[in-house]
Amino acid sequence: MSDDAKAMSEWITAVTRELGLEGQVDSEKSVNAVLDLTSDVAHAVSRPAAPVTAFLIGVAAGRAQEPQVAAADYSQKISALAEGWDADTERGVPSNDPDNRG
């Protein structure tokens, strides 16, 4: 394990302990998902948007009945949104827009 990976693992353990999330978060899977998401956003939208996006997904997932499932679902949706992001074109309709429902 590299020094960075070890430091990350120790940090995640300390943060989950401080926030009372021990046993509630699959650290390796969650870290990889967040890193993938923030990479997509940082490269397609902007670097400062990456941590803010992760925070917003965390807030939204925290409100869900199954936060880990919601976080994974939201991360997929937002990664796809970021990958299609283009400042010169019209933005898509929000997925929760009532006019979008069938």
Coordinates of all heavy atoms in Angstrom, one line a residue:
M1 N 0.9 -1.2 0.0 CA 0.0 0.0 0.0 C 0.9 1.2 0.0 O 1.8 1.3 0.8 CB -0.9 0.0 1.2 CG -1.8 1.2 1.3 SD -2.9 1.2 2.8 CE -4.0 -0.1 2.5
S2 N 0.6 2.2 -0.9 CA 1.4 3.4 -1.0 C 1.1 4.3 0.3 O 0.2 4.1 1.0 CB 1.0 4.2 -2.2 OG -0.2 4.8 -2.1
D3 N 2.0 5.2 0.5 CA 1.9 6.2 1.6 C 0.6 6.9 1.5 O -0.1 7.2 2.4 CB 3.1 7.1 1.7 CG 4.3 6.4 2.2 OD1 4.2 5.3 2.7 OD2 5.4 7.0 2.0
D4 N 0.2 7.3 0.2 CA -1.0 8.1 0.0 C -2.2 7.2 0.3 O -3.2 7.7 1.0 CB -1.1 8.6 -1.5 CG -0.2 9.8 -1.7 OD1 0.2 10.4 -0.8 OD2 0.0 10.0 -2.9
A5 N -2.2 6.0 -0.1 CA -3.3 5.1 0.1 C -3.5 4.8 1.6 O -4.6 4.8 2.2 CB -3.2 3.8 -0.6
K6 N -2.3 4.7 2.3 CA -2.4 4.4 3.7 C -2.9 5.6 4.5 O -3.8 5.5 5.4 CB -1.0 4.1 4.3 CG -1.0 3.7 5.7 CD 0.4 3.4 6.2 CE 0.4 3.1 7.7 NZ 1.7 3.0 8.3
A7 N -2.5 6.8 4.1 CA -2.9 8.1 4.7 C -4.4 8.2 4.5 O -5.2 8.6 5.4 CB -2.2 9.3 4.2
M8 N -4.9 7.9 3.2 CA -6.3 8.0 2.9 C -7.1 7.1 3.8 O -8.2 7.4 4.3 CB -6.5 7.7 1.4 CG -8.0 7.7 1.0 SD -8.8 9.2 0.9 CE -8.4 9.5 -0.8
S9 N -6.7 5.8 3.9 CA -7.4 4.8 4.7 C -7.5 5.3 6.2 O -8.5 5.2 6.8 CB -6.7 3.5 4.6 OG -7.3 2.5 5.4
E10 N -6.4 5.7 6.7 CA -6.4 6.2 8.1 C -7.3 7.4 8.3 O -8.0 7.5 9.3 CB -4.9 6.5 8.5 CG -4.0 5.3 8.7 CD -2.6 5.7 8.9 OE1 -2.2 6.9 8.9 OE2 -1.8 4.7 9.1
W11 N -7.3 8.3 7.3 CA -8.1 9.5 7.4 C -9.6 9.1 7.3 O -10.4 9.6 8.1 CB -7.8 10.5 6.2 CG -8.7 11.6 6.2 CD1 -9.6 11.9 5.2 CD2 -8.8 12.7 7.1 NE1 -10.3 13.1 5.5 CE2 -9.8 13.6 6.6 CE3 -8.2 13.0 8.3 CZ2 -10.2 14.7 7.3 CZ3 -8.5 14.2 9.0 CH2 -9.5 15.0 8.5
I12 N -10.0 8.2 6.4 CA -11.4 7.8 6.3 C -11.8 7.1 7.6 O -12.9 7.3 8.0 CB -11.5 6.9 5.0 CG1 -11.2 7.6 3.8 CG2 -12.9 6.3 5.0 CD1 -12.0 8.8 3.5
T13 N -11.0 6.3 8.1 CA -11.3 5.6 9.4 C -11.6 6.6 10.5 O -12.5 6.5 11.2 CB -10.2 4.6 9.8 OG1 -10.0 3.6 8.8 CG2 -10.5 4.0 11.1
A14 N -10.7 7.6 10.6 CA -10.8 8.6 11.6 C -12.1 9.5 11.4 O -12.8 9.7 12.4 CB -9.6 9.6 11.6
V15 N -12.4 9.8 10.2 CA -13.6 10.6 9.9 C -14.9 9.8 10.1 O -15.8 10.4 10.8 CB -13.6 11.2 8.4 CG1 -14.9 11.8 8.0 CG2 -12.4 12.2 8.2
T16 N -14.9 8.6 9.7 CA -16.1 7.8 9.9 C -16.3 7.6 11.4 O -17.5 7.6 11.9 CB -16.1 6.4 9.2 OG1 -14.9 5.7 9.6 CG2 -16.1 6.6 7.7
R17 N -15.2 7.5 12.2 CA -15.4 7.4 13.6 C -15.9 8.7 14.2 O -16.8 8.6 15.1 CB -14.0 7.0 14.2 CG -14.0 6.6 15.7 CD -12.7 6.1 16.2 NE -12.2 5.0 15.5 CZ -11.0 4.8 15.0 NH1 -10.1 5.7 15.2 NH2 -10.7 3.7 14.3
E18 N -15.3 9.8 13.8 CA -15.8 11.1 14.3 C -17.2 11.4 14.0 O -17.9 12.0 14.8 CB -14.9 12.2 13.8 CG -13.6 12.4 14.4 CD -13.7 12.9 15.9 OE1 -14.5 13.8 16.2 OE2 -13.0 12.3 16.7
L19 N -17.7 10.9 12.9 CA -19.1 11.2 12.4 C -20.1 10.1 12.9 O -21.2 10.2 12.5 CB -19.1 11.4 10.9 CG -18.3 12.6 10.4 CD1 -18.4 12.6 8.8 CD2 -18.8 13.9 10.9
G20 N -19.6 9.1 13.6 CA -20.5 8.0 14.0 C -20.9 7.2 12.9 O -22.1 6.6 12.9
L21 N -20.1 7.0 11.9 CA -20.5 6.2 10.7 C -19.8 4.8 10.6 O -19.9 4.1 9.6 CB -20.2 7.0 9.4 CG -20.9 8.3 9.2 CD1 -20.4 9.0 8.0 CD2 -22.4 8.0 9.1
E22 N -19.2 4.4 11.7 CA -18.5 3.1 11.7 C -19.5 2.0 11.4 O -20.6 2.0 11.9 CB -17.8 2.9 13.0 CG -16.6 3.8 13.3 CD -16.1 3.6 14.7 OE1 -16.8 3.9 15.6 OE2 -15.0 3.1 14.8
G23 N -19.1 1.1 10.4 CA -19.9 0.0 10.1 C -21.1 0.4 9.1 O -21.8 -0.5 8.7
Q24 N -21.2 1.6 8.8 CA -22.3 2.1 8.0 C -21.9 2.4 6.6 O -22.7 2.6 5.7 CB -23.0 3.3 8.6 CG -23.7 3.0 9.9 CD -24.3 4.3 10.5 OE1 -24.9 5.0 9.7 NE2 -24.2 4.4 11.8
V25 N -20.6 2.5 6.4 CA -20.0 2.9 5.1 C -19.0 1.9 4.7 O -18.1 1.5 5.4 CB -19.3 4.3 5.2 CG1 -18.7 4.7 3.9 CG2 -20.3 5.3 5.7
D26 N -19.1 1.4 3.4 CA -18.1 0.5 2.8 C -17.0 1.4 2.3 O -17.0 2.0 1.2 CB -18.7 -0.3 1.7 CG -17.7 -1.2 1.0 OD1 -16.5 -1.1 1.3 OD2 -18.1 -2.0 0.1
S27 N -16.0 1.6 3.2 CA -14.9 2.6 2.9 C -14.3 2.5 1.5 O -14.3 3.5 0.8 CB -13.9 2.6 4.0 OG -14.4 3.0 5.2
E28 N -13.8 1.4 1.2 CA -13.1 1.2 -0.1 C -14.0 1.5 -1.3 O -13.7 2.3 -2.2 CB -12.5 -0.2 -0.2 CG -11.6 -0.3 -1.5 CD -11.0 -1.7 -1.6 OE1 -10.8 -2.4 -0.6 OE2 -10.6 -2.0 -2.7
K29 N -15.2 0.9 -1.3 CA -16.1 1.1 -2.4 C -16.6 2.6 -2.4 O -16.7 3.2 -3.5 CB -17.4 0.2 -2.2 CG -18.4 0.2 -3.3 CD -19.5 -0.8 -3.0 CE -20.5 -0.7 -4.1 NZ -21.6 -1.7 -3.9
S30 N -16.9 3.2 -1.3 CA -17.3 4.6 -1.2 C -16.2 5.5 -1.7 O -16.5 6.5 -2.4 CB -17.7 4.9 0.2 OG -18.8 4.2 0.6
V31 N -15.0 5.3 -1.2 CA -13.9 6.2 -1.6 C -13.7 6.1 -3.1 O -13.6 7.1 -3.8 CB -12.6 5.8 -0.9 CG1 -11.4 6.4 -1.5 CG2 -12.7 6.1 0.6
N32 N -13.7 4.9 -3.7 CA -13.5 4.8 -5.1 C -14.7 5.5 -5.9 O -14.4 6.1 -6.9 CB -13.4 3.3 -5.5 CG -12.1 2.7 -5.1 OD1 -11.1 3.4 -4.9 ND2 -12.1 1.4 -4.9
A33 N -15.9 5.3 -5.4 CA -17.0 6.0 -6.1 C -16.9 7.5 -6.0 O -17.1 8.2 -7.0 CB -18.3 5.5 -5.4
V34 N -16.5 8.0 -4.9 CA -16.3 9.5 -4.7 C -15.2 10.0 -5.6 O -15.3 11.0 -6.3 CB -16.1 9.9 -3.3 CG1 -15.7 11.3 -3.1 CG2 -17.4 9.6 -2.4
L35 N -14.1 9.2 -5.6 CA -12.9 9.6 -6.5 C -13.3 9.6 -8.0 O -12.9 10.5 -8.7 CB -11.7 8.7 -6.2 CG -11.1 8.9 -4.8 CD1 -10.0 7.9 -4.6 CD2 -10.6 10.3 -4.6
D36 N -14.1 8.6 -8.4 CA -14.5 8.6 -9.8 C -15.4 9.7 -10.1 O -15.3 10.4 -11.1 CB -15.2 7.2 -10.1 CG -14.3 6.0 -10.1 OD1 -13.1 6.2 -10.2 OD2 -14.8 4.9 -10.0
L37 N -16.4 10.0 -9.2 CA -17.3 11.1 -9.4 C -16.6 12.4 -9.5 O -16.8 13.2 -10.4 CB -18.4 11.1 -8.3 CG -19.2 12.4 -8.2 CD1 -20.2 12.4 -9.3 CD2 -19.9 12.5 -6.8
T38 N -15.8 12.7 -8.5 CA -15.1 14.0 -8.5 C -14.1 14.1 -9.6 O -14.0 15.3 -10.1 CB -14.4 14.2 -7.1 OG1 -13.5 13.2 -6.9 CG2 -15.4 14.3 -6.0
S39 N -13.6 13.1 -10.1 CA -12.7 13.1 -11.3 C -13.5 13.5 -12.5 O -13.1 14.4 -13.3 CB -12.0 11.8 -11.5 OG -11.3 11.8 -12.7
D40 N -14.7 12.9 -12.7 CA -15.6 13.2 -13.8 C -16.0 14.7 -13.8 O -15.9 15.4 -14.8 CB -16.9 12.4 -13.8 CG -16.6 10.9 -14.1 OD1 -15.5 10.6 -14.6 OD2 -17.5 10.1 -13.8
V41 N -16.4 15.2 -12.6 CA -16.8 16.6 -12.5 C -15.7 17.5 -12.7 O -15.8 18.5 -13.4 CB -17.5 16.8 -11.1 CG1 -17.9 18.3 -10.9 CG2 -18.8 15.9 -11.0
A42 N -14.5 17.2 -12.1 CA -13.4 18.1 -12.2 C -12.9 18.3 -13.6 O -12.6 19.4 -14.0 CB -12.2 17.6 -11.3
H43 N -13.0 17.2 -14.4 CA -12.5 17.3 -15.7 C -13.5 17.8 -16.7 O -13.2 18.5 -17.7 CB -12.0 15.9 -16.2 CG -10.7 15.5 -15.5 ND1 -10.7 14.6 -14.5 CD2 -9.5 15.8 -15.8 CE1 -9.5 14.4 -14.1 NE2 -8.7 15.1 -14.8
A44 N -14.8 17.5 -16.5 CA -15.8 18.0 -17.4 C -16.5 19.3 -17.1 O -17.0 20.0 -18.0 CB -16.9 16.9 -17.5
V45 N -16.5 19.7 -15.8 CA -17.2 20.9 -15.4 C -16.1 21.9 -14.9 O -15.8 22.8 -15.6 CB -18.2 20.6 -14.3 CG1 -19.0 21.9 -13.9 CG2 -19.2 19.6 -14.8
S46 N -15.6 21.7 -13.7 CA -14.6 22.5 -13.1 C -14.1 21.8 -11.9 O -14.8 21.1 -11.2 CB -15.0 23.9 -12.8 OG -15.8 24.0 -11.7
R47 N -12.8 22.1 -11.5 CA -12.2 21.5 -10.3 C -13.0 21.9 -9.1 O -13.3 21.1 -8.2 CB -10.8 21.9 -10.2 CG -9.9 21.2 -11.2 CD -8.5 21.5 -10.9 NE -8.0 20.2 -10.4 CZ -6.8 19.7 -10.7 NH1 -5.9 20.5 -11.3 NH2 -6.4 18.6 -10.2
P48 N -13.3 23.2 -8.9 CA -14.1 23.6 -7.7 C -15.5 22.9 -7.6 O -16.0 22.8 -6.5 CB -14.2 25.1 -7.7 CG -13.1 25.5 -8.7 CD -13.0 24.4 -9.6
A49 N -16.0 22.5 -8.7 CA -17.3 21.9 -8.7 C -17.3 20.5 -8.1 O -18.3 20.0 -7.6 CB -17.9 21.9 -10.1
A50 N -16.1 19.9 -8.1 CA -16.0 18.5 -7.7 C -16.4 18.2 -6.2 O -17.2 17.4 -5.9 CB -14.6 17.9 -8.0
P51 N -15.7 18.9 -5.3 CA -16.0 18.7 -3.9 C -17.4 19.2 -3.5 O -18.1 18.6 -2.7 CB -15.0 19.5 -3.1 CG -14.4 20.4 -4.1 CD -14.6 19.9 -5.4
V52 N -17.9 20.2 -4.2 CA -19.2 20.8 -3.9 C -20.3 19.7 -4.4 O -21.3 19.5 -3.7 CB -19.5 22.1 -4.6 CG1 -20.9 22.6 -4.4 CG2 -18.5 23.2 -4.0
T53 N -20.0 19.1 -5.5 CA -20.9 18.1 -6.0 C -21.0 16.9 -5.1 O -22.1 16.4 -4.8 CB -20.5 17.6 -7.4 OG1 -20.5 18.8 -8.3 CG2 -21.4 16.5 -8.0
A54 N -19.8 16.5 -4.6 CA -19.8 15.3 -3.7 C -20.6 15.7 -2.4 O -21.3 14.8 -1.9 CB -18.3 15.0 -3.3
F55 N -20.4 16.9 -1.9 CA -21.2 17.4 -0.8 C -22.7 17.3 -1.0 O -23.5 16.8 -0.2 CB -20.8 18.8 -0.4 CG -21.7 19.4 0.6 CD1 -21.6 19.1 2.0 CD2 -22.6 20.4 0.3 CE1 -22.5 19.6 2.9 CE2 -23.5 21.0 1.2 CZ -23.4 20.6 2.5
L56 N -23.1 17.8 -2.2 CA -24.5 17.9 -2.5 C -25.1 16.4 -2.6 O -26.2 16.2 -2.2 CB -24.8 18.6 -3.8 CG -24.5 20.1 -3.7 CD1 -24.5 20.7 -5.1 CD2 -25.4 20.8 -2.8
I57 N -24.4 15.5 -3.2 CA -24.8 14.1 -3.3 C -24.9 13.6 -1.9 O -25.9 12.8 -1.6 CB -23.9 13.3 -4.2 CG1 -24.1 13.7 -5.7 CG2 -24.1 11.8 -4.0 CD1 -23.2 13.1 -6.6
G58 N -24.0 13.9 -1.0 CA -24.1 13.4 0.3 C -25.3 13.9 1.1 O -26.0 13.2 1.8
V59 N -25.6 15.2 0.9 CA -26.8 15.7 1.5 C -28.0 15.0 1.0 O -28.9 14.6 1.7 CB -26.9 17.3 1.3 CG1 -28.2 17.8 1.7 CG2 -25.8 18.0 2.0
A60 N -28.1 14.9 -0.3 CA -29.3 14.3 -0.9 C -29.4 12.8 -0.5 O -30.5 12.3 -0.2 CB -29.2 14.3 -2.5
A61 N -28.3 12.1 -0.5 CA -28.3 10.7 -0.1 C -28.7 10.5 1.4 O -29.4 9.6 1.7 CB -27.0 10.0 -0.4
G62 N -28.2 11.4 2.2 CA -28.5 11.4 3.6 C -30.0 11.5 3.9 O -30.5 11.1 4.9
R63 N -30.8 12.1 3.0 CA -32.2 12.2 3.1 C -33.0 11.0 2.7 O -34.2 10.9 2.9 CB -32.7 13.4 2.3 CG -32.2 14.7 2.8 CD -32.7 15.8 2.0 NE -32.4 17.1 2.6 CZ -32.8 18.3 2.0 NH1 -33.4 18.3 0.9 NH2 -32.5 19.4 2.7
A64 N -32.3 10.1 2.0 CA -32.9 8.9 1.4 C -33.2 7.8 2.4 O -32.5 7.8 3.4 CB -32.1 8.4 0.2
Q65 N -34.1 7.0 2.1 CA -34.3 5.8 3.0 C -33.2 4.9 3.1 O -32.9 4.3 4.1 CB -35.6 5.1 2.5 CG -36.3 4.3 3.6 CD -37.7 3.9 3.1 OE1 -37.9 3.7 1.9 NE2 -38.6 3.9 4.0
E66 N -32.5 4.7 1.9 CA -31.3 3.8 1.9 C -30.1 4.7 1.3 O -29.9 4.7 0.1 CB -31.5 2.6 1.0 CG -32.6 1.7 1.5 CD -32.8 0.5 0.6 OE1 -31.8 -0.1 0.3 OE2 -33.9 0.2 0.3
P67 N -29.4 5.4 2.2 CA -28.4 6.4 1.8 C -27.3 5.8 0.9 O -27.0 6.5 -0.1 CB -27.8 6.9 3.1 CG -28.9 6.7 4.1 CD -29.6 5.4 3.7
Q68 N -26.8 4.6 1.2 CA -25.7 4.1 0.3 C -26.2 3.8 -1.1 O -25.5 4.0 -2.1 CB -25.1 2.9 1.0 CG -24.3 3.2 2.2 CD -23.4 2.1 2.6 OE1 -22.8 1.4 1.8 NE2 -23.3 1.9 3.9
V69 N -27.4 3.3 -1.2 CA -28.0 3.0 -2.5 C -28.3 4.3 -3.2 O -27.9 4.4 -4.4 CB -29.3 2.2 -2.4 CG1 -30.0 2.0 -3.7 CG2 -29.1 0.8 -1.7
A70 N -28.8 5.3 -2.5 CA -29.1 6.6 -3.2 C -27.8 7.2 -3.6 O -27.7 7.8 -4.7 CB -29.8 7.5 -2.2
A71 N -26.8 7.2 -2.8 CA -25.5 7.8 -3.1 C -24.9 7.2 -4.4 O -24.4 7.9 -5.3 CB -24.5 7.7 -2.0
A72 N -25.0 5.9 -4.5 CA -24.5 5.2 -5.7 C -25.3 5.6 -6.9 O -24.8 5.9 -8.0 CB -24.5 3.7 -5.5
D73 N -26.6 5.7 -6.8 CA -27.5 6.1 -7.9 C -27.3 7.5 -8.3 O -27.1 7.8 -9.5 CB -29.0 5.9 -7.5 CG -30.0 6.2 -8.6 OD1 -29.7 5.8 -9.7 OD2 -31.0 6.9 -8.3
Y74 N -27.2 8.4 -7.3 CA -27.0 9.8 -7.6 C -25.6 10.0 -8.2 O -25.5 10.8 -9.1 CB -27.1 10.7 -6.3 CG -28.4 10.7 -5.7 CD1 -28.5 11.0 -4.3 CD2 -29.6 10.3 -6.3 CE1 -29.8 11.0 -3.7 CE2 -30.8 10.4 -5.7 CZ -30.9 10.7 -4.4 OH -32.1 10.7 -3.8
S75 N -24.6 9.3 -7.8 CA -23.3 9.4 -8.3 C -23.3 9.1 -9.8 O -22.6 9.7 -10.6 CB -22.3 8.6 -7.6 OG -22.1 9.1 -6.3
Q76 N -23.9 8.0 -10.2 CA -24.0 7.6 -11.6 C -24.7 8.6 -12.4 O -24.2 9.0 -13.5 CB -24.8 6.3 -11.7 CG -24.0 5.0 -11.5 CD -24.9 3.8 -11.9 OE1 -26.1 3.8 -11.6 NE2 -24.3 2.8 -12.4
K77 N -25.8 9.2 -11.9 CA -26.6 10.2 -12.6 C -25.7 11.4 -12.8 O -25.7 12.0 -13.9 CB -27.9 10.5 -11.9 CG -28.9 9.5 -11.9 CD -30.1 9.9 -11.2 CE -31.2 8.7 -11.2 NZ -32.4 9.1 -10.4
I78 N -25.1 11.9 -11.8 CA -24.3 13.1 -11.8 C -23.0 12.9 -12.7 O -22.6 13.8 -13.4 CB -24.0 13.7 -10.4 CG1 -25.3 13.9 -9.7 CG2 -23.1 14.9 -10.5 CD1 -26.3 14.8 -10.4
S79 N -22.4 11.8 -12.6 CA -21.3 11.5 -13.5 C -21.7 11.6 -15.0 O -21.0 12.1 -15.8 CB -20.7 10.1 -13.2 OG -19.9 10.1 -12.0
A80 N -22.9 11.0 -15.3 CA -23.4 11.1 -16.7 C -23.6 12.5 -17.1 O -23.3 12.9 -18.2 CB -24.6 10.2 -16.8
L81 N -24.2 13.3 -16.1 CA -24.5 14.7 -16.4 C -23.2 15.4 -16.7 O -23.1 16.2 -17.6 CB -25.2 15.3 -15.2 CG -25.5 16.8 -15.3 CD1 -26.5 17.1 -16.4 CD2 -26.1 17.3 -14.0
A82 N -22.2 15.2 -15.8 CA -20.9 15.8 -16.0 C -20.2 15.4 -17.3 O -19.7 16.3 -18.0 CB -19.9 15.5 -14.8
E83 N -20.3 14.2 -17.7 CA -19.7 13.7 -18.9 C -20.3 14.4 -20.1 O -19.6 14.6 -21.1 CB -19.7 12.2 -19.0 CG -18.8 11.5 -18.0 CD -19.0 10.0 -17.9 OE1 -19.8 9.4 -18.7 OE2 -18.4 9.4 -17.1
G84 N -21.6 14.7 -20.0 CA -22.3 15.4 -21.2 C -22.3 16.9 -21.0 O -22.9 17.6 -21.8
W85 N -21.6 17.4 -20.0 CA -21.6 18.8 -19.8 C -20.9 19.6 -20.9 O -19.7 19.3 -21.2 CB -21.0 19.1 -18.4 CG -21.3 20.5 -17.9 CD1 -20.4 21.5 -17.9 CD2 -22.5 20.9 -17.3 NE1 -21.0 22.6 -17.3 CE2 -22.3 22.3 -16.9 CE3 -23.7 20.3 -17.0 CZ2 -23.3 23.0 -16.3 CZ3 -24.7 21.0 -16.4 CH2 -24.5 22.4 -16.1
D86 N -21.5 20.6 -21.4 CA -20.9 21.5 -22.4 C -21.4 22.9 -22.3 O -22.6 23.1 -22.5 CB -21.1 20.9 -23.8 CG -20.4 21.7 -24.9 OD1 -20.6 22.9 -25.0 OD2 -19.7 21.0 -25.7
A87 N -20.6 23.8 -21.9 CA -21.0 25.2 -21.6 C -21.6 25.9 -22.8 O -22.3 26.8 -22.6 CB -19.9 26.0 -21.0
D88 N -21.4 25.4 -24.0 CA -21.9 26.0 -25.2 C -23.3 25.5 -25.6 O -23.8 26.0 -26.6 CB -20.9 25.9 -26.4 CG -19.6 26.6 -26.1 OD1 -19.6 27.5 -25.3 OD2 -18.6 26.1 -26.6
T89 N -23.8 24.5 -24.9 CA -25.1 24.0 -25.3 C -26.1 24.1 -24.2 O -25.7 24.3 -23.0 CB -25.0 22.5 -25.7 OG1 -24.6 21.8 -24.5 CG2 -24.1 22.2 -26.9
E90 N -27.3 24.0 -24.5 CA -28.4 24.1 -23.5 C -28.3 23.0 -22.5 O -28.1 21.8 -22.9 CB -29.8 24.1 -24.2 CG -30.9 24.3 -23.3 CD -32.2 24.3 -24.0 OE1 -32.3 24.7 -25.2 OE2 -33.3 24.0 -23.4
R91 N -28.5 23.3 -21.3 CA -28.5 22.2 -20.2 C -29.7 21.3 -20.4 O -30.8 21.8 -20.8 CB -28.5 22.9 -18.8 CG -27.3 23.8 -18.6 CD -26.0 23.0 -18.6 NE -24.9 24.0 -18.3 CZ -23.9 24.2 -19.1 NH1 -23.8 23.5 -20.2 NH2 -22.9 25.0 -18.8
G92 N -29.5 20.1 -19.9 CA -30.7 19.2 -20.0 C -31.7 19.5 -18.9 O -31.5 20.3 -18.0
V93 N -32.9 18.9 -19.1 CA -33.9 19.1 -18.1 C -33.6 18.3 -16.9 O -33.2 17.1 -17.0 CB -35.3 18.7 -18.8 CG1 -36.4 18.7 -17.8 CG2 -35.6 19.5 -20.0
P94 N -33.8 18.8 -15.7 CA -33.5 18.0 -14.5 C -34.3 16.7 -14.5 O -35.5 16.7 -14.9 CB -34.0 18.9 -13.4 CG -34.0 20.3 -13.9 CD -34.3 20.1 -15.4
S95 N -33.7 15.7 -14.0 CA -34.3 14.3 -14.1 C -35.6 14.3 -13.2 O -36.4 13.5 -13.4 CB -33.3 13.3 -13.6 OG -32.9 13.5 -12.3
N96 N -35.6 15.2 -12.2 CA -36.8 15.2 -11.3 C -37.9 16.2 -11.7 O -38.8 16.4 -11.0 CB -36.4 15.5 -9.9 CG -35.7 16.8 -9.7 OD1 -35.5 17.5 -10.7 ND2 -35.5 17.2 -8.5
D97 N -37.7 16.7 -13.0 CA -38.7 17.6 -13.5 C -40.0 16.9 -13.7 O -40.1 15.9 -14.5 CB -38.2 18.3 -14.8 CG -39.1 19.4 -15.3 OD1 -40.4 19.2 -15.2 OD2 -38.6 20.3 -15.9
P98 N -41.2 17.3 -13.1 CA -42.5 16.6 -13.3 C -42.9 16.5 -14.8 O -43.5 15.5 -15.2 CB -43.5 17.5 -12.5 CG -42.6 18.3 -11.6 CD -41.3 18.5 -12.3
D99 N -42.5 17.4 -15.6 CA -42.8 17.3 -17.0 C -42.1 16.2 -17.8 O -42.4 15.9 -18.9 CB -42.5 18.7 -17.7 CG -43.4 19.8 -17.2 OD1 -44.5 19.5 -16.7 OD2 -43.0 21.0 -17.3
N100 N -41.0 15.7 -17.1 CA -40.2 14.7 -17.7 C -40.7 13.3 -17.4 O -40.2 12.3 -17.9 CB -38.8 14.8 -17.1 CG -37.8 15.0 -18.2 OD1 -38.1 15.3 -19.3 ND2 -36.5 14.9 -17.8
R101 N -41.7 13.2 -16.5 CA -42.2 11.9 -16.1 C -43.2 11.3 -17.0 O -44.0 12.1 -17.6 CB -42.8 12.0 -14.7 CG -41.8 12.4 -13.6 CD -42.3 12.5 -12.3 NE -41.3 13.0 -11.4 CZ -41.5 13.8 -10.4 NH1 -42.7 14.1 -10.0 NH2 -40.5 14.2 -9.6
G102 N -43.2 10.0 -17.2 CA -44.1 9.4 -18.2 C -45.4 8.9 -17.6 O -45.8 9.0 -16.6

